[in-house]
C-alpha cells in the first residue's frame, strides 16, 4: 500500500451551549510513506482537531467523531478500543503538541519524561530507557544532553523544550508523526533548525509526517503535499509546487499575498502587505453556501446559495470554489 494514512470524509463535532461546532466537516486527506503533508490555515480552521482526531484524543464530551474513516496502514483507527489505541499511540503514531511548556510535566525531570515513553512502549528497564533517552536528546541536537536529563522544563528555553518534544515523539521510531505548529513562538533561527531536524529525522527513521502550521514558508521548506483548510473544510489540496505556482482558491491566494517576501523590495515604500478582510466565520452558524463568501474578492451569487464541492480542477490539484467550475 502506497499510503500510510487515509482519512475519508471525517467529521468531528463539539456540542456546546451555543450549538454544534463542526470543527472538522467532511475532511479527506492522505499521507504517502516517507512524505510530509502540510496542513495550513488560520487559527480556528480545524487543523489541530483533525490531528487530535487521528490520534483519537478528542475529549468526549463535548467532542465526538461523528463519521468518516481513518485508515492507518490498513488498520481502521476508529474501530480500535481505548487499550488498542493506547498501544498504537506513541509507538506507531506520535504527536508533537503545540505548546511544549503545557505538554511537559513541570514537576518531572526531562530524562524521566522521555524515558517513560520509551519504557512504556519498548519494555526497557529504567536504566536502558534513560540511556535511550540520552541518545534521542543527542540525536535532536540538544546541547549538553547529559546535563539536560536532570533539568526540569522551566530550566530550558523554548527551542530546547521543542527538541525534547521531538525526541519523545521519535523515541519509538513511529511510522507517522503529527507535528502541530512545531515552530510557533520560536525565533527564526531556531525555527529553521527545528524544520531541518524534522526533515533529517524523517530521512533517518523513514517516518511520514503531518505538519500543521499557519506559515506557508514552513510548508514550502518541509512538505511535499499541502491541504489548505478553512472553517473545518479542505478548500485546496495539491502538491506543494503546484500550490505556490498556481494557487486556485481565493483564500490560498490571500494567504500567499499576505506573506512577506524578504528578497523583494517594493517600488512604493508605502506599499503594505495584502490583508484578507474580515475574520473566520462563527462555526456555530456558518452562512449558507460557501463559508469564505464574506471575505472573498471574487464572490458570485451562487456562492451565497450553494456550497461548492472539492473537485479536481487539474490532475492532482483539488479546489473547493465556484470560480473554478
Amino acid at each position: 500500500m502506497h499510503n500510510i494514512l487515509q482519512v475519508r470524509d471525517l467529521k468531528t463535532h463539539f456540542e456546546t451551549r451555543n450549538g454544534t461546532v463542526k470543527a472538522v466537516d467532511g475532511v479527506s486527506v492522505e499521507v504517502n510513506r516517507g512524505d510530509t503533508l502540510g496542513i495550513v490555515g488560520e487559527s480556528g480552521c480545524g487543523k489541530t482537531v483533525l490531528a487530535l482526531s487521528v490520534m483519537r484524543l478528542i475529549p468526549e464530551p463535548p467532542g465526538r467523531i461523528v463519521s468518516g474513516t481513518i485508515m492507518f496502514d490498513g488498520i481502521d483507527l476508529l474501530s480500535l478500543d481505548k487499550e488498542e489505541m493506547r498501544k498504537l499511540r506513541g509507538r506507531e503514531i506520535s504527536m508533537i503538541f503545540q505548546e511544549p511548556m503545557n505538554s511537559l510535566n513541570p514537576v518531572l525531570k526531562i530524562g524521566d519524561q522521555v524515558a517513560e515513553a520509551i519504557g512504556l512502549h519498548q519494555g526497557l528497564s529504567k536504566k536502558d530507557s534513560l540511556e535511550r533517552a540520552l541518545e534521542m536528546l543527542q540525536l535532536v541536537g540538544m546541547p549538553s544532553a547529559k546535563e539536560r536529563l536532570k533539568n526540569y522544563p522551566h530550566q530550558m528555553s523554548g527551542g530546547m523544550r521543542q527538541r525534547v518534544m521531538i525526541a519523545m515523539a521519535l523515541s519509538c521510531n513511529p511510522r507517522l508523526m503529527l507535528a502541530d505548529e512545531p515552530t510557533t513562538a520560536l525565533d527564526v533561527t531556531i525555527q529553521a533548525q527545528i524544520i531541518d531536524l524534522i526533515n533529517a529525522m524523517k530521512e533517518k527513521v523513514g517516518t511520514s509526517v503531518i505538519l500543521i502550521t499557519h506559515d506557508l514558508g514552513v510548508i514550502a521548506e518541509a512538505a511535499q503535499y499541502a491541504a489548505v483548510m478553512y472553517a473545518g473544510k479542505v478548500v485546496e489540496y495539491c502538491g506543494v509546487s503546484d500550490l505556490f505556482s498556481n494557487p486556485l482558491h481565493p483564500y490560498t491566494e490571500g494567504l500567499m499575498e499576505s506573506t512577506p517576501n524578504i528578497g523583494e523590495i517594493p517600488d512604493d515604500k508605502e506599499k503594505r502587505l495584502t490583508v484578507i478582510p474580515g475574520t473566520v466565520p462563527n462555526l456555530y452558524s456558518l452562512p449558507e453556501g460557501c463559508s469564505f463568501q464574506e471575505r472573498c474578492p471574487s464572490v458570485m451569487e451562487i456562492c451565497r446559495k450553494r456550497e461548492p464541492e472539492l473537485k479536481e480542477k487539474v490532475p492532482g490539484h483539488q479546489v473547493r470554489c465556484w470560480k473554478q467550475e
Side-chain angles (χ1 to χ4, degrees):
M1 189 186 289
H2 192 54
N3 301 325
I4 190 79
L5 182 77
Q6 275 190 328
V7 178
R8 289 283 174 266
D9 200 26
L10 183 68
K11 296 183 180 181
T12 303
H13 297 175
F14 291 83
E15 299 298 333
T16 72
R17 290 177 181 175
N18 296 326
T20 302
V21 175
K22 297 177 180 179
V24 172
D25 193 14
V27 167
S28 297
V29 294
E30 56 188 46
V31 184
N32 296 329
R33 294 178 190 277
D35 278 352
T36 296
L37 168 68
I39 300 179
V40 67
E42 291 168 284
S43 296
C45 70
K47 307 186 298 295
T48 298
V49 174
L50 174 60
L52 292 175
S53 299
V54 172
M55 293 292 288
R56 291 275 306 275
L57 289 174
I58 297 295
E60 299 180 17
R64 65 189 177 99
I65 296 174
V66 176
S67 62
T69 58
I70 304 172
M71 299 296 295
F72 172 70
D73 205 17
I75 301 168
D76 181 2
L77 296 185
L78 297 183
S79 70
L80 302 182
D81 62 31
K82 289 183 179 180
E83 187 56 36
E84 289 170 327
M85 191 64 208
R86 192 177 290 120
K87 288 178 182 176
L88 205 66
R89 197 186 293 130
R91 187 180 65 195
E92 301 281 345
I93 310 173
S94 64
M95 185 165 177
I96 304 170
F97 293 93
Q98 192 164 1
E99 179 42 66
M101 198 62 200
N102 295 338
S103 304
L104 293 168
N105 191 322
V107 298
L108 289 181
K109 292 175 182 175
I110 290 300
D112 291 336
Q113 295 193 55
V114 180
E116 181 185 19
I118 294 167
L120 184 67
H121 291 293
Q122 298 193 355
L124 300 179
S125 66
K126 186 169 184 181
K127 182 187 174 188
D128 289 341
S129 295
L130 278 169
E131 285 180 7
R132 172 74 173 150
L134 176 58
E135 285 175 22
M136 289 308 302
L137 290 181
Q138 290 169 337
L139 196 62
V140 299
M142 178 70 77
S144 308
K146 196 165 186 177
E147 287 72 39
R148 295 298 173 192
L149 287 173
K150 301 167 188 172
N151 281 169
Y152 292 92
H154 72 271
Q155 295 175 295
M156 308 177 87
S157 69
M160 287 178 178
R161 289 195 294 266
Q162 200 61 282
R163 288 173 191 273
V164 171
M165 294 298 294
I166 294 171
M168 289 175 73
L170 290 170
S171 61
C172 299
N173 296 338
R175 289 186 286 162
L176 176 66
M177 181 173 71
L178 294 89
D180 188 6
E181 302 275 11
T183 60
T184 297
L186 301 178
D187 65 59
V188 178
T189 310
I190 304 298
Q191 278 188 26
Q193 289 177 9
I194 296 297
I195 291 301
D196 288 345
L197 178 59
I198 290 173
N199 284 336
M201 293 292 97
K202 190 177 77 169
E203 292 295 321
K204 190 162 188 171
V205 182
T207 303
S208 305
V209 179
I210 293 179
L211 181 60
I212 295 169
T213 182
H214 58 263
D215 188 338
L216 283 168
V218 171
I219 295 288
E221 188 72 26
Q224 286 74 51
Y225 295 89
V228 180
M229 284 189 71
Y230 187 80
K233 291 183 169 68
V234 172
V235 295
E236 190 157 3
Y237 188 39
C238 60
V240 165
S241 57
D242 287 345
L243 189 78
F244 284 91
S245 63
N246 184 31
L248 296 179
H249 198 281
Y251 178 59
T252 310
E253 292 173 356
L255 290 176
M256 299 275 191
E257 289 169 4
S258 63
T259 304
N261 188 338
I262 303 301
E264 207 173 87
I265 301 173
D267 298 330
D268 182 3
K269 291 181 180 178
E270 297 299 314
K271 186 178 179 183
R272 294 174 178 268
L273 285 173
T274 304
V275 175
I276 302 174
T279 57
V280 177
N282 191 330
L283 294 180
Y284 299 119
S285 54
L286 290 170
E288 187 180 352
C290 176
S291 54
F292 189 59
Q293 59 180 268
E294 297 301 329
R295 308 174 71 189
C296 182
S298 308
V299 64
M300 302 178 290
E301 191 60 34
I302 192 171
C303 305
R304 303 188 187 281
K305 294 178 179 176
R306 288 171 53 201
E307 184 184 8
E309 294 178 10
L310 187 66
K311 290 184 178 179
E312 192 169 63
K313 178 64 178 173
V314 293
H317 197 148
Q318 298 176 310
V319 64
R320 186 189 298 274
C321 184
W322 287 116
K323 179 184 168 187
Q324 300 296 340
E325 288 291 316

